[in-house]
Amino acid sequence: MSALAPGAVLGIVGGGQLGRMSAIAAARLGYRAHILTQDADGPAAQVAHALTLGRYDDHDALRRFADAVDVITFEFENISADGLDLLSSIRPVHPAGRILRISQDRIAEKTFMAEAGIPVAPWQAVHERADLDQAAEALGYPFILKTTRLGYDGKGQARIHDADGLDAAFDTLRPHPLVAEGMVHFACEISVMVARNAQGDVSTFDVTENRHSNGILDISLAPARIPPDLAAQARDLARRIAVALDLIGILGVEMFVDRDGSLRVNEIAPRPHNSGHWTMNAWPGDQFEMHVRAVTGLPLPPAIRHSDAVMTNLIGPDDMALWPRIMATPRLLAHHYGKAEARPGRKMGHVNVLFPQGGLPGEFGVEAALGPLAGTR
Ligand code: AMP
């Protein structure tokens, strides 16, 4: 495939912040972003060249959108199989629908990992109530029960501590089937962003260490504070996943570092990822440029970090009340998503703080570097 020429139109399904930052990166490279969204004033719409307003299951809207663009990508993965087939029948879709279908369904995802020889937590599919007893027996307590679809940011899962919790979890979590997963006693959670283009070039960013609060990513540190050989293993796992999927685009791979020193992949997201936002200031390009390059057939530069970085999300009204103070603190490199209303729990923006290479501070230093946000994490 030869690269799309400047002026070409990149179609992005989804109008949120990942679409916004992808559209900005596309514009930097001379492409025009055309967004499929229902929100004419959403984060991506505000910076786009053109919009198709419509639902992701509206075939007429999908057709009009595909006809208007040169290549299609996503910032939002939960589009139906039908919709994907329709889009792919009109224009190239990267990453391919096959990859989205794997990442949309935890059973398909774990089956793929097993086939590719990628380590994951022990798991069992739960189709009916009797399967759950069997899973409890095999995995031991506590274990985690998850929905297979539409789970994100820790939603759609329950931690089961004893047999008394089985019925309630089975009845509450919908739709079935579910996935039961053994608890990983992790030392930390990490992720790797990996990009691959049609020519087969692969580029992986440095490993990120992630901390969550209420199931939402709160702080990322780059590089992750793990031994170099483990970091190399994590990047190698991400590369193997990208190759096994025949990925064209960018993919986030979330992993656990088990206390026994081994890695287990938790899930994959075939799109830019919250845990890669530090790249916007600590790399000459960023994950969004890597994404756009991968799907438009441009060469992929090596992902060489020039600084260490801490990223924290700005969530809901409490964090946004600090916006004027954040703006008045020069070392906080802030990114606003343009959302009008700061509802509790809503991702409104993020902030990066840079440090010289090797200069990532300890807990207190990270806290202090966050200025007005210190003590609120
Ligand atoms: P998920 O929806 O799979 O991304 O899970 C959300 C969060 O729940 C993860 O980031 C972990 O903090 C925790 N979690 C999920 N699965 C496991 C597991 N098997 N063992 C321990 N913690 C888990």
Side-chain angles (χ1 to χ4, degrees):
M1 162 182 167
S2 57
L4 287 180
V9 181
L10 173 67
I12 302 175
V13 177
Q17 61 266 21
L18 301 177
R20 176 189 183 89
M21 294 182 277
S22 299
I24 291 171
R28 263 196 331 256
L29 301 179
Y31 298 121
R32 297 155 199 258
H34 184 129
I35 313 286
L36 175 65
T37 175
Q38 289 184 78
D39 184 356
D41 190 39
Q46 292 170 23
V47 302
H49 158 71
L51 306 176
T52 298
L53 290 175
R55 291 164 51 101
Y56 308 122
D57 59 0
D58 173 348
H59 282 202
D60 179 51
L62 290 172
R63 217 173 275 118
R64 277 187 285 119
F65 166 71
D67 281 335
V69 306
D70 294 300
V71 63
I72 297 171
T73 190
F74 302 88
E75 67 114 42
F76 167 90
E77 305 149 72
N78 290 311
I79 172 164
S80 72
D82 279 4
L84 282 170
D85 288 343
L86 176 60
L87 293 177
S88 321
S89 72
I90 303 175
R91 288 290 181 272
V93 172
H94 301 311
R98 177 179 41 79
I99 300 177
L100 269 78
R101 277 181 213 134
I102 290 173
S103 72
Q104 281 171 352
D105 178 335
R106 286 190 202 266
I107 294 179
E109 190 177 62
K110 288 177 191 299
T111 307
F112 159 78
M113 297 292 173
E115 283 166 5
I118 304 291
V120 297
W123 66 281
Q124 300 218 343
V126 174
H127 296 272
E128 43 195 85
R129 180 62 182 80
D131 297 337
L132 190 55
D133 291 325
Q134 215 175 59
E137 175 82 26
L139 301 171
Y141 294 101
F143 69 96
I144 300 186
L145 193 60
K146 298 180 177 179
T147 53
T148 52
R149 298 180 69 85
L150 294 174
Y152 62 95
D153 287 347
K155 290 180 189 130
Q157 60 168 275
R159 208 163 276 212
I160 303 182
H161 296 277
D162 51 42
D164 292 343
L166 295 174
D167 282 332
F170 185 77
D171 292 340
T172 326
L173 292 175
R174 298 274 162 183
H176 295 165
L178 304 168
V179 170
E181 247 182 68
M183 246 349 235
V184 177
H185 300 284
F186 57 78
C188 65
E189 294 187 75
I190 59 171
S191 57
V192 177
M193 299 306 303
V194 55
R196 183 172 176 275
N197 64 11
Q199 295 85 333
D201 302 330
V202 179
S203 208
T204 58
F205 284 97
D206 289 283
V207 182
T208 310
E209 181 177 337
N210 301 311
R211 285 195 231 147
H212 299 86
S213 161
N214 298 320
I216 301 181
L217 181 64
D218 185 23
I219 287 194
S220 289
L221 307 177
R225 296 163 303 178
I226 58 175
D229 61 324
L230 204 58
Q233 273 180 45
R235 290 172 83 156
D236 185 56
L237 281 179
R239 169 184 291 270
R240 278 170 50 200
I241 291 171
V243 171
L245 285 172
D246 207 9
L247 173 76
I248 298 177
I250 197 162
L251 173 91
V253 182
E254 296 179 27
M255 308 178 202
F256 300 120
V257 178
D258 198 310
R259 283 187 211 149
D260 69 11
S262 64
L263 295 173
R264 290 173 192 271
V265 171
N266 178 31
E267 58 185 7
I268 57 172
R271 51 167 173 75
H273 193 261
N274 195 166
S275 69
H277 288 356
W278 61 267
T279 61
M280 296 178 80
N281 297 106
W283 186 60
D286 59 36
Q287 64 163 341
F288 301 97
E289 174 169 338
M290 201 67 107
H291 174 212
V292 173
R293 281 175 168 268
V295 301
T296 56
L298 286 169
L300 301 183
I304 297 173
R305 188 173 42 80
H306 59 63
S307 301
D308 289 3
V310 172
M311 189 282 317
T312 190
N313 279 324
L314 299 175
I315 295 174
D318 292 350
D319 284 351
M320 292 320 283
L322 297 169
W323 183 256
R325 291 180 59 201
I326 293 168
M327 288 289 92
T329 311
R331 71 172 176 279
L332 299 182
L333 307 171
H335 301 261
H336 195 293
Y337 301 156
K339 296 179 187 176
E341 197 195 339
R343 291 194 289 274
R346 195 173 194 207
K347 289 176 183 169
M348 301 299 295
H350 67 270
V351 163
N352 288 329
V353 184
L354 299 185
F355 302 89
Q357 289 233 33
L360 201 61
E363 294 299 313
F364 295 119
V366 167
E367 197 63 30
L370 292 176
L373 292 159
T376 64
R377 285 16 239 159

